[in-house]
Amino acid sequence: MYQKYIAVIGALLCGVAVSRAVEDKMVLQPGPEGVDKWFGSYYNKQGVNNGILRVGGWGDYYNSLIKFDGATQTVPGSFKRAELWLYHFNTTRPTDINMWLLKTRWSEAPWDHANLAGYYLGRYYGPSIGSGWYGIDITSSVNYWRLAPSLNYGLLLTPAANDNRYDEFYSSDSSSVTLRPKLHVIYDLDFKMPLPGGKAWKLTVEAGGKANDGIDDPFHKGTTYYSLDFSPWSVQASGIGPMYPETDAPVLAMEGGKVYFVGNDPGHPNGYHVKIDHGCDNDTSSGFQTVYSHFKSPPLVTKGQIVIQGQKLGIMGNTGISTATHLHVTAYFQGTASGEGTDPQLNQLSIEGRLIKDYKLNSLSPSTPIFYPSSNVIK
């Protein structure tokens, strides 16, 4: 019992670093439920919904309509920009594209586009000759829809020329599933410590596996991840006063996202644990994910649940392959491995403004505790 009254003598407190955000994205790529079609000014005036989108013409004009219902959904971090991606095919004589932000409703039903009106956004260079992905920055449009979701009527794409020039793209009804239109919503993530703020928490294993007991842990650095271990011992964020062993320390979401896995088996190597995708797009093959392991009891969230930064996920514990109460937290970035055996994006990931790879033990005396402050707020 006397331990909780030991003053922080010989311990080191790392101060708060400058905030550094990292970029992630949510990818929306609807299937047949997507809303898009093309129509002509003379032929096919009623509208065509046949797996392609056409922009161009030869005497008449072919125009395309597209709308992403998910464009206004909440993103985990701070919205940054948005990009429309269309896959063009067999392009031989491309045309530049004029784009309009629509202010009137339409649907895929025949003729339900007769009274279109909108705001002109500008002229964009057309796709290159051949086939491939064609991107347009639509940040201003998505930002407008996010401010007024009820006004999301989509976009109109019209040709800048109709002298036998055509751009053809796959639509959301295409049988080429991976080539359907995509909306990339890009945002900044600002990760916080996975433990309550107002305190600084004792690091016991750093990224790379160096532990304060002198025994290296091999599960702390891989080609797509870094891991850290924190014990239940904490001090006041100011560094003044005693250090305490916390009882039932809450484990918090480091940033907003979508729960894509909940481990309810205490016998699993990770014990009770939670996995969060910070892309919120059901695609864990790209972007950032975080994993929180060894909870004391079953997690407090469910698979598919959207969580916000600071949301309580569970209680620090000792389930799974674990020898003492602690939190094992892992940050993943799925992509092309390079650099120091990890992705460049992962090497840029910071927690509380400090790069995750810079969460270090005392290099001169690993047994001397180092505490890292948190500003995360329990939600």
Side-chain angles (χ1 to χ4, degrees):
M1 294 294 293
Y2 72 94
Q3 287 182 315
K4 70 178 182 180
Y5 298 107
I6 296 176
V8 187
I9 299 173
L12 299 177
L13 176 71
C14 288
V16 177
V18 177
S19 178
R20 305 177 189 176
V22 291
E23 191 176 278
D24 204 344
K25 66 184 176 184
M26 177 169 60
V27 179
L28 303 176
Q29 190 175 30
E33 75 280 6
V35 184
D36 51 29
K37 68 178 181 181
W38 69 273
F39 64 95
S41 60
Y42 184 78
Y43 297 104
N44 299 301
K45 293 177 66 175
Q46 76 280 5
V48 182
N49 189 22
N50 64 346
I52 66 171
L53 297 174
R54 180 171 290 173
V55 180
W58 192 3
D60 60 348
Y61 290 88
Y62 297 150
N63 313 291
S64 287
L65 294 160
I66 187 167
K67 178 175 178 285
F68 288 89
D69 288 329
T72 60
Q73 66 181 279
T74 301
V75 295
S78 302
F79 173 71
K80 192 172 184 180
R81 67 182 188 278
E83 301 162 351
L84 170 65
W85 288 92
L86 303 170
Y87 193 90
H88 69 99
F89 58 93
N90 300 330
T91 304
T92 57
R93 286 174 54 83
T95 176
D96 288 354
I97 292 176
N98 293 313
M99 191 162 64
W100 306 76
L101 175 68
L102 292 171
K103 58 180 181 180
T104 52
R105 65 167 298 279
W106 57 277
S107 76
E108 291 182 326
W111 301 105
D112 192 15
H113 54 269
N115 298 304
L116 295 175
Y119 305 100
Y120 182 61
L121 297 175
R123 177 170 173 166
Y124 299 82
Y125 288 114
S128 58
I129 293 174
S131 302
W133 285 103
Y134 168 70
I136 301 176
D137 188 305
I138 59 169
T139 301
S140 61
S141 299
V142 172
N143 197 46
Y144 174 76
W145 297 329
R146 288 170 58 80
L147 293 173
S150 63
L151 300 182
N152 177 12
Y153 298 116
L155 300 167
L156 169 65
L157 282 61
T158 65
N162 67 334
D163 53 346
N164 198 22
R165 294 178 180 272
Y166 297 91
D167 303 329
E168 290 189 320
F169 310 95
Y170 291 115
S171 79
S172 61
D173 295 298
S174 171
S175 59
S176 300
V177 175
T178 61
L179 303 182
R180 292 167 175 166
K182 297 188 291 187
L183 176 64
H184 289 184
V185 181
I186 296 98
Y187 46 87
D188 281 333
L189 296 172
D190 187 10
F191 287 94
K192 303 295 185 185
M193 281 275 284
L195 295 162
K199 301 176 182 180
W201 297 85
K202 180 182 176 182
L203 180 72
T204 55
V205 184
E206 64 184 42
K210 185 177 180 181
N212 63 356
D213 60 6
I215 302 175
D216 286 351
D217 186 330
F219 302 107
H220 278 254
K221 184 177 179 181
T223 56
T224 58
Y225 72 91
Y226 278 133
S227 295
L228 302 171
D229 281 2
F230 291 95
S231 84
W233 286 82
S234 70
V235 299
Q236 294 300 309
S238 64
I240 300 174
M243 59 180 178
Y244 289 90
E246 298 280 339
T247 301
D248 293 341
V251 177
L252 311 180
M254 300 168 72
E255 180 56 286
K258 184 176 184 178
V259 177
Y260 71 94
F261 186 85
V262 173
N264 282 309
D265 178 9
H268 185 277
N270 289 344
Y272 292 120
H273 64 289
V274 168
K275 299 181 179 182
I276 297 176
D277 175 28
H278 299 286
C280 282
D281 54 7
N282 298 315
D283 180 11
T284 56
S285 65
S286 65
F288 287 97
Q289 298 92 41
T290 50
V291 182
Y292 311 76
S293 301
H294 308 301
F295 293 178
K296 177 180 179 179
S297 51
L300 303 177
V301 292
T302 57
K303 183 178 179 180
Q305 182 176 341
I306 300 297
V307 297
I308 60 176
Q309 186 178 74
Q311 187 157 341
K312 189 174 178 180
L313 306 175
I315 300 295
M316 187 189 294
N318 189 29
T319 57
I321 299 178
S322 172
T323 58
T325 297
H326 75 291
L327 171 64
H328 178 88
V329 61
T330 304
Y332 284 88
F333 185 86
Q334 304 292 350
T336 303
S338 60
E340 300 177 38
T342 59
D343 291 301
Q345 292 88 341
L346 187 57
N347 281 326
Q348 297 169 14
L349 174 63
S350 64
I351 303 172
E352 301 283 353
R354 177 178 287 102
L355 293 175
I356 187 171
K357 63 180 182 178
D358 289 340
Y359 275 73
K360 298 289 188 181
L361 300 171
N362 187 334
S363 60
L364 298 178
S365 176
S367 61
T368 300
I370 295 185
F371 294 81
Y372 288 89
S374 171
S375 64
N376 209 345
V377 178
I378 300 176
K379 306 284 196 315

